[in-house]
Amino acid sequence: AQRLLNLDPETESKTDWIWFRKRILENCFRLIRPGRPNVRQALAFSWEICRNPDSLNDVMVILKTFFRDLILFSRAPEAITNLDFYQAYADIYQQNLPDVFHNWLESLFQTEYRLMFNSSPRLSLDRFFLELAFDKG
């Protein structure tokens, strides 16, 4: 937790983790909003993440909380992790079928599996973010 808040004296990270998390979540919301799929945005997001391979595990954790919150929102919206994005979750939940949230989470787990077995991070993330952009339920 201290590392993520830039309070850990042993870590000389120059990453602003609060900004980093916010950036990841905002990109996810842009990709899954209804409308035309934005291929350019999906590929640019993948490229941005892959530029810093050391942050890939952190990105995966943020993505898991994002999709967990989407699924949890219908039953207990007050229990979501990313409360600062409450209204964005509400908007997405109203505009998509809940079944698609499970599909997205399954796709994330498949991406994580591929990454564990040395699949190309760029290709794996390209595939994942393109699925998000195209699968709107």
Side-chain angles (χ1 to χ4, degrees), residues 72-136:
L72 186 61
F73 194 84
S74 69
R75 303 268 186 222
E78 70 284 349
I80 64 173
T81 303
N82 300 296
L83 283 170
D84 51 333
F85 284 90
Y86 185 92
Q87 189 56 50
Y89 281 111
D91 293 344
I92 292 299
Y93 192 80
Q94 291 175 355
Q95 299 170 354
N96 289 282
L97 299 172
D99 289 345
V100 76
F101 304 149
H102 295 281
N103 296 343
W104 291 337
L105 186 59
E106 178 63 32
S107 181
L108 177 64
F109 288 138
Q110 289 173 0
T111 301
E112 186 176 43
Y113 179 81
R114 287 184 193 100
L115 292 171
M116 286 179 6
F117 290 100
N118 295 325
S119 176
S120 163
R122 179 66 196 269
L123 292 177
S124 297
L125 291 174
D126 282 353
R127 178 182 173 153
F128 173 68
F129 291 127
L130 287 170
E131 284 179 19
L132 288 184
F134 280 92
D135 186 10
K136 309 288 184 172

Side-chain angles (χ1 to χ4, degrees), residues 2-19:
Q2 286 184 334
R3 177 180 63 88
L4 296 177
L5 293 173
N6 297 329
L7 299 175
D8 186 359
E10 295 180 17
T11 304
E12 294 184 22
S13 174
K14 300 207 182 328
T15 303
D16 179 351
W17 291 103
I18 295 170
W19 175 86

Side-chain angles (χ1 to χ4, degrees), residues 20-39:
F20 181 71
R21 176 190 142 277
K22 183 179 177 185
R23 178 99 172 109
I24 298 297
L25 294 175
E26 286 173 346
N27 274 296
C28 286
F29 281 115
R30 276 191 220 112
L31 284 177
I32 65 175
R33 73 173 175 238
R36 289 183 62 167
N38 191 335
V39 173

Side-chain angles (χ1 to χ4, degrees), residues 47-73:
W47 177 81
E48 180 182 332
I49 291 169
C50 290
R51 282 186 15 215
N52 185 4
D54 294 338
S55 69
L56 189 55
N57 288 332
D58 294 327
V59 169
M60 295 306 287
V61 169
I62 293 167
L63 291 173
K64 286 179 196 175
T65 64
F66 173 78
F67 291 108
R68 173 201 169 271
D69 285 351
L70 272 177
I71 291 170
L72 186 61
F73 194 84

